[in-house]
């Protein structure tokens, strides 16, 4: 998701509609299957998706496979988040010593693991929900302001096309 802005710049604004589907798809999916999934989980006493699959399909192997798949893809997703978090810390505090990236990575990981462990997963989810609401409201407020100040979408796109892309260095 970190390269979405550059993808829009290089491919055009239509890509923004494709990116919007990242939010609409999961919302619609959970709207369609969420209630039924909750009912099935409530009847069996299941807490997680692998629990539901185990109880519904009567197969512990399916639950283990589902758990492994979830852990694998979560780790893949978190690697990018932790890398970006470390780069943000390194850049924010202008760290220039030899192992600045590694120190930033450890600091970010400790903070995330501590917050998740101490506050619990539910607290993390509520934080994400509130952050999503604030970000969504911010976008709805800022889009008309930015388009007005920039002279419209076409002028903003032309101005951006004339600028040289910024070089981003990473570890």
């Amino acid at each position: 998701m970190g390269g979405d802005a550059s993808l829009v710049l290089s491919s055009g604004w239509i890509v923004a509609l494709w990116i919007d589907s990242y939010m609409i798809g999961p919302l619609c999916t959970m709207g369609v299957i969420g209630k039924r999934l909750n009912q099935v989980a409530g009847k069996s006493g299941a807490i997680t998706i692998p629990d539901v699959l185990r109880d519904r399909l009567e197969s512990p192997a399916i639950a283990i496979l589902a758990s492994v798949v979830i852990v694998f893809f979560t780790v893949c997703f978190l690697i990018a988040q932790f890398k970006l978090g470390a780069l943000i810390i390194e850049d924010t505090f202008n760290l220039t010593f030899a192992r600045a990236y590694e120190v930033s990575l450890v600091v970010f990981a400790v903070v995330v693991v501590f917050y998740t462990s101490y506050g619990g997963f539910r607290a993390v989810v509520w934080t994400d929900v509130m952050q999503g609401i604030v970000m969504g409201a911010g976008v709805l407020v800022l889009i008309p302001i930015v388009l007005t100040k920039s002279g419209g979408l076409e002028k903003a796109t032309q101005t951006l096309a004339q600028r040289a892309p910024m070089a981003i260095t990473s570890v």
Side-chain angles (χ1 to χ4, degrees), residues 35-157:
K35 184 175 182 179
R36 178 71 181 136
L37 185 62
N38 189 32
Q39 291 170 343
V40 170
K43 287 179 183 175
S44 67
I47 296 173
T48 64
I49 300 292
D51 289 343
V52 170
L53 293 173
R54 180 195 63 224
D55 295 344
R56 186 82 169 162
L57 301 174
E58 299 176 357
S59 173
I62 292 291
I64 291 170
L65 178 65
S67 298
V68 168
V69 168
I70 290 170
V71 167
F72 174 76
F73 285 107
T74 300
V75 167
C76 291
F77 175 75
L78 288 177
I79 287 171
Q81 306 306 309
F82 276 52
K83 180 176 180 174
L84 186 60
L87 291 173
I88 289 170
I89 289 173
E90 187 179 16
D91 189 52
T92 301
F93 296 106
N94 294 321
L95 303 177
T96 57
F97 52 90
R99 298 255 183 219
Y101 174 76
E102 288 83 358
V103 170
S104 300
L105 182 61
V106 168
V107 168
F108 185 78
V110 166
V111 168
V112 168
V113 170
F114 175 77
Y115 180 77
T116 305
S117 301
Y118 182 73
F121 187 70
R122 179 170 280 175
V124 174
V125 170
W126 277 112
T127 302
D128 289 350
V129 167
M130 294 309 294
Q131 181 181 9
I133 291 170
V134 169
M135 288 172 65
V139 166
L140 292 176
V141 169
L142 287 175
I143 284 177
I145 294 171
V146 169
L147 288 178
T148 302
K149 294 281 185 184
S150 65
L153 188 58
E154 186 175 346
K155 186 161 188 320
T157 303

